[in-house]
Amino acid sequence: MNKKGAHKTIDKPLLTVDSVLFTYHEKSLKILLVERSSTPEKGKWGLPGGIVNIAVDEDLKATALRKLIEKTGVNPPYLDQLETLGNRSRDPRGWSVTVCYTALMAYQVCENHVSHVSDVDWIELNKVLNMDLAFDHKKIIHSAKERMRQRALYSITPGFALPDKFTLTDLQHLHELLIGKQIQKRSFRRRIEQADLLFDTGEKQQERGRPATLYRMKKQAITHRFVRNLEES
Amino acid sequence: MNKKGAHKTIDKPLLTVDSVLFTYHEKSLKILLVERSSTPEKGKWGLPGGIVNIAVDEDLKATALRKLIEKTGVNPPYLDQLETLGNRSRDPRGWSVTVCYTALMAYQVCENHVSHVSDVDWIELNKVLNMDLAFDHKKIIHSAKERMRQRALYSITPGFALPDKFTLTDLQHLHELLIGKQIQKRSFRRRIEQADLLFDTGEKQQERGRPATLYRMKKQAITHRFVRNLEES
DNA sequence: CTAATAGTGTCTATTAGACATTATGTG
DNA sequence: CACATAATGTCTAATAGACACTATTAG
């Protein structure tokens, strides 16, 4: 059936990479969007990403990083493959594929770069979900949100959306935004302490009331999974 | 920087889909391998899959299904995207991408088809991991195995590798193979009963000793996640 | 002092682990 | 009856939820 070389006549789909980059700023969850400067979907906002350039990109992750650095100026501390969408209807140019990543980054480390570029902005997640976005990017954002919600239930990896040093209250609030439900302070702190996931910097942060301890992620925090999840909403 | 239309000059990588299809047969975990009939890697065994044909495939899942049906004759009851690998070194022909799926299927439903095709076979997972496979397929199988291990800890989705009707003992043994550790019978049955994931067919299966009840998966079994995992090995 | 926020003590409820016991079939 | 396997009873251990309580800062 399959004569050798037959595949050489098959057209290849367009291959892109898109990232859903989350951050936590001013007590809300935001994602980075880019205003498209070229067709198709010119003028609409969409995810940071673009076409895989096989001349310069070593692998798919390299494409994701190249595009994220273009928009933010820095490497995200957390980058994880989400899902790959491919069909003949998602892009008007025809059959296309996008390999999607979820990324996390502190707002502060790219504040300068982002504020100096006009077509890039952090937008609150809930607002994003009411915008008219390019291609199937809203669907991708929904998937990423759900993935982050799961992560918040069984790990503390969402913390990579915070600055290097952060308080437990901030980390908990971020988790609450993702889960969509209040968490018991005691439960949250206990499990983190028992799993030994954070490093106490000794520094404190003050802002009305008792000063809060600043913590830093330990290496194992990126892979640790709690045996028991927090309850879902 | 990016002149419009510039992307049109960028070469596209080769796009394929590969599936790691698991089944449970004769008390062991097996995966379906295919002997490659054409270059590259001709003669080596690899995963069932192939090039996305944008003329016939509606989306990526359709490619996965088309290739699986080609080899097994039937639709798998469980098919889930695993990960996408893409770089310039995994295929000697140059930059290539493979979108990988994990699939589960009962041995019996495709027994006839598989036994009548010479280049397709079910091979025990542990043997597979000692074979010299095509491309980076061994790495993909390792990922799929790890994914299935996690699923066995917090769900009963591995059960889709069993026949339509199955005993709890078979389901537990399958989980034990995936987790690599014995499970307490009481714990295993309790959580399934409490989550109401199985339908009691009323039928029994006898094979030395007390006859075992045959169960069927309920719809919710495919999405259910237990709040608390089984302990890891 | 009060207000505000950080952090702890402690009880309950749930559920997995451990393992003994009972149930139901064959020969 | 013995034997094998299925299914259940029941106790313990671990940990999340609930919520009251104490600690530490500013003003």
Side-chain angles (χ1 to χ4, degrees), chain B residues 7 16-17 48 51 65 74 110 118 129 138-140 142 161-162 190 196 207 215 219 221 223 225:
Chain B
H7 61 262
T16 60
V17 171
I51 296 168
L65 287 172
V74 293
C110 59
S118 64
L129 296 176
K138 195 179 288 187
K139 182 184 172 185
I140 297 167
H142 269 112
L162 299 176
R190 219 173 5 206
D196 190 31
E207 189 181 310
Y215 292 90
K219 254 185 303 185
T223 52
R225 291 181 169 221

Short mmCIF file of all heavy atoms in Angstrom, two decimals, chain B residues 7 16-17 48 51 65 74 110 118 129 138-140 142 161-162 190 196 207 215 219 221 223 225:
data_model
loop_
_atom_site.label_atom_id
_atom_site.label_comp_id
_atom_site.label_asym_id
_atom_site.label_seq_id
_atom_site.Cartn_x
_atom_site.Cartn_y
_atom_site.Cartn_z
N HIS B 7 7.32 34.67 6.80
CA HIS B 7 7.24 33.29 7.26
C HIS B 7 7.05 32.30 6.13
O HIS B 7 7.33 31.12 6.27
CB HIS B 7 6.11 33.15 8.28
CG HIS B 7 4.77 33.50 7.69
ND1 HIS B 7 4.20 34.72 7.86
CD2 HIS B 7 3.91 32.77 6.94
CE1 HIS B 7 3.03 34.75 7.23
NE2 HIS B 7 2.84 33.58 6.67
N THR B 16 4.42 14.11 12.22
CA THR B 16 3.86 12.77 12.38
C THR B 16 3.08 12.67 13.69
O THR B 16 3.17 13.52 14.56
CB THR B 16 4.96 11.69 12.39
OG1 THR B 16 5.83 11.94 13.48
CG2 THR B 16 5.76 11.70 11.10
N VAL B 17 2.30 11.59 13.79
CA VAL B 17 1.58 11.26 15.02
C VAL B 17 1.95 9.84 15.40
O VAL B 17 2.00 8.96 14.54
CB VAL B 17 0.05 11.38 14.81
CG1 VAL B 17 -0.70 10.82 16.01
CG2 VAL B 17 -0.35 12.82 14.57
N PRO B 48 3.01 2.55 16.47
CA PRO B 48 2.07 2.74 15.36
C PRO B 48 1.80 4.23 15.18
O PRO B 48 1.49 4.93 16.14
CB PRO B 48 0.81 2.01 15.84
CG PRO B 48 0.93 1.94 17.32
CD PRO B 48 2.39 1.89 17.63
N ILE B 51 2.64 9.87 9.13
CA ILE B 51 2.58 11.27 8.74
C ILE B 51 1.14 11.79 8.68
O ILE B 51 0.25 11.09 8.21
CB ILE B 51 3.28 11.44 7.38
CG1 ILE B 51 4.77 11.09 7.53
CG2 ILE B 51 3.12 12.85 6.84
CD1 ILE B 51 5.50 10.94 6.24
N LEU B 65 -6.13 8.00 15.13
CA LEU B 65 -7.13 6.94 14.98
C LEU B 65 -6.96 6.19 13.66
O LEU B 65 -7.04 4.96 13.61
CB LEU B 65 -8.54 7.54 15.06
CG LEU B 65 -8.98 7.96 16.46
CD1 LEU B 65 -10.30 8.71 16.41
CD2 LEU B 65 -9.10 6.74 17.37
N VAL B 74 -9.84 -1.66 14.94
CA VAL B 74 -10.91 -1.04 15.74
C VAL B 74 -10.48 0.29 16.36
O VAL B 74 -9.30 0.61 16.41
CB VAL B 74 -11.36 -1.98 16.88
CG1 VAL B 74 -12.05 -3.21 16.34
CG2 VAL B 74 -10.18 -2.36 17.75
N CYS B 110 -9.08 -6.89 19.27
CA CYS B 110 -8.30 -6.77 18.03
C CYS B 110 -7.39 -7.97 17.83
O CYS B 110 -6.50 -7.96 17.00
CB CYS B 110 -7.49 -5.47 18.03
SG CYS B 110 -6.37 -5.36 19.42
N SER B 118 1.48 -9.47 9.77
CA SER B 118 2.78 -9.99 10.21
C SER B 118 3.67 -8.92 10.84
O SER B 118 4.52 -9.22 11.66
CB SER B 118 3.52 -10.61 9.02
OG SER B 118 3.79 -9.61 8.06
N LEU B 129 11.23 -2.24 26.58
CA LEU B 129 12.20 -1.29 27.11
C LEU B 129 13.65 -1.77 26.95
O LEU B 129 14.59 -1.01 27.19
CB LEU B 129 11.88 -0.97 28.57
CG LEU B 129 10.52 -0.27 28.76
CD1 LEU B 129 10.21 -0.06 30.23
CD2 LEU B 129 10.49 1.07 28.02
N LYS B 138 11.54 4.96 22.27
CA LYS B 138 11.66 4.41 23.61
C LYS B 138 11.42 5.50 24.65
O LYS B 138 10.79 5.27 25.68
CB LYS B 138 13.04 3.77 23.82
CG LYS B 138 13.04 2.88 25.05
CD LYS B 138 14.38 2.22 25.30
CE LYS B 138 14.65 1.14 24.29
NZ LYS B 138 15.88 0.38 24.64
N LYS B 139 11.90 6.68 24.34
CA LYS B 139 11.67 7.81 25.24
C LYS B 139 10.16 8.10 25.37
O LYS B 139 9.65 8.37 26.46
CB LYS B 139 12.39 9.06 24.70
CG LYS B 139 12.27 10.26 25.59
CD LYS B 139 12.91 11.50 24.95
CE LYS B 139 12.60 12.74 25.78
NZ LYS B 139 13.09 13.97 25.13
N ILE B 140 9.47 8.03 24.26
CA ILE B 140 8.03 8.28 24.27
C ILE B 140 7.32 7.22 25.11
O ILE B 140 6.43 7.54 25.90
CB ILE B 140 7.48 8.27 22.82
CG1 ILE B 140 8.10 9.41 22.02
CG2 ILE B 140 5.95 8.37 22.82
CD1 ILE B 140 7.87 9.31 20.51
N HIS B 142 8.60 5.57 27.59
CA HIS B 142 8.87 5.88 28.99
C HIS B 142 7.92 6.97 29.52
O HIS B 142 7.39 6.85 30.62
CB HIS B 142 10.33 6.34 29.17
CG HIS B 142 11.28 5.23 29.49
ND1 HIS B 142 12.25 4.80 28.63
CD2 HIS B 142 11.37 4.42 30.57
CE1 HIS B 142 12.91 3.78 29.17
NE2 HIS B 142 12.40 3.54 30.36
N ALA B 161 -7.87 -0.63 29.37
CA ALA B 161 -7.03 -1.63 28.72
C ALA B 161 -7.57 -3.04 28.93
O ALA B 161 -7.00 -4.01 28.45
CB ALA B 161 -5.59 -1.55 29.27
N LEU B 162 -8.68 -3.13 29.67
CA LEU B 162 -9.30 -4.43 29.94
C LEU B 162 -10.49 -4.65 29.01
O LEU B 162 -10.98 -3.70 28.40
CB LEU B 162 -9.78 -4.48 31.39
CG LEU B 162 -8.72 -4.32 32.48
CD1 LEU B 162 -9.38 -4.29 33.85
CD2 LEU B 162 -7.69 -5.42 32.39
N ARG B 190 -12.65 -0.07 48.09
CA ARG B 190 -13.41 0.94 48.82
C ARG B 190 -13.56 2.21 48.00
O ARG B 190 -14.64 2.76 47.82
CB ARG B 190 -12.68 1.26 50.11
CG ARG B 190 -13.54 1.46 51.30
CD ARG B 190 -12.72 1.60 52.56
NE ARG B 190 -11.28 1.64 52.35
CZ ARG B 190 -10.40 1.27 53.27
NH1 ARG B 190 -10.80 0.81 54.44
NH2 ARG B 190 -9.11 1.36 53.03
N ASP B 196 -18.47 5.35 43.00
CA ASP B 196 -19.52 4.83 42.12
C ASP B 196 -19.08 4.84 40.66
O ASP B 196 -19.73 5.42 39.80
CB ASP B 196 -20.79 5.68 42.31
CG ASP B 196 -21.99 5.06 41.62
OD1 ASP B 196 -22.04 3.82 41.52
OD2 ASP B 196 -22.85 5.84 41.16
N GLU B 207 -12.99 -19.12 38.01
CA GLU B 207 -11.66 -19.60 37.64
C GLU B 207 -10.93 -19.98 38.93
O GLU B 207 -10.13 -19.20 39.43
CB GLU B 207 -10.93 -18.44 36.94
CG GLU B 207 -9.62 -18.80 36.31
CD GLU B 207 -9.01 -17.56 35.68
OE1 GLU B 207 -9.70 -16.85 34.92
OE2 GLU B 207 -7.83 -17.30 35.95
N TYR B 215 -17.62 -6.44 36.21
CA TYR B 215 -18.04 -5.04 36.21
C TYR B 215 -17.81 -4.42 34.84
O TYR B 215 -17.02 -4.91 34.03
CB TYR B 215 -17.24 -4.25 37.25
CG TYR B 215 -17.56 -4.62 38.67
CD1 TYR B 215 -16.86 -5.63 39.32
CD2 TYR B 215 -18.58 -3.97 39.38
CE1 TYR B 215 -17.15 -5.99 40.63
CE2 TYR B 215 -18.88 -4.31 40.69
CZ TYR B 215 -18.16 -5.32 41.31
OH TYR B 215 -18.45 -5.66 42.61
N LYS B 219 -19.59 5.86 32.72
CA LYS B 219 -19.06 6.99 31.95
C LYS B 219 -18.13 7.87 32.78
O LYS B 219 -17.09 8.32 32.33
CB LYS B 219 -20.22 7.86 31.41
CG LYS B 219 -20.47 7.71 29.94
CD LYS B 219 -21.54 8.69 29.47
CE LYS B 219 -22.85 8.52 30.23
NZ LYS B 219 -23.95 9.38 29.73
N ALA B 221 -16.12 7.24 34.96
CA ALA B 221 -14.81 6.68 35.29
C ALA B 221 -13.70 7.31 34.46
O ALA B 221 -12.55 7.39 34.89
CB ALA B 221 -14.81 5.16 35.08
N THR B 223 -13.33 10.40 33.63
CA THR B 223 -12.88 11.72 34.10
C THR B 223 -12.61 11.78 35.60
O THR B 223 -12.00 12.73 36.07
CB THR B 223 -13.94 12.79 33.78
OG1 THR B 223 -15.20 12.36 34.27
CG2 THR B 223 -14.04 13.05 32.29
N ARG B 225 -11.21 11.78 39.22
CA ARG B 225 -9.92 11.78 39.90
C ARG B 225 -10.17 11.66 41.39
O ARG B 225 -10.90 12.46 41.96
CB ARG B 225 -9.17 13.11 39.68
CG ARG B 225 -8.70 13.30 38.28
CD ARG B 225 -7.97 14.63 38.17
NE ARG B 225 -7.29 14.70 36.90
CZ ARG B 225 -6.07 15.19 36.72
NH1 ARG B 225 -5.40 15.69 37.74
NH2 ARG B 225 -5.51 15.20 35.54
#
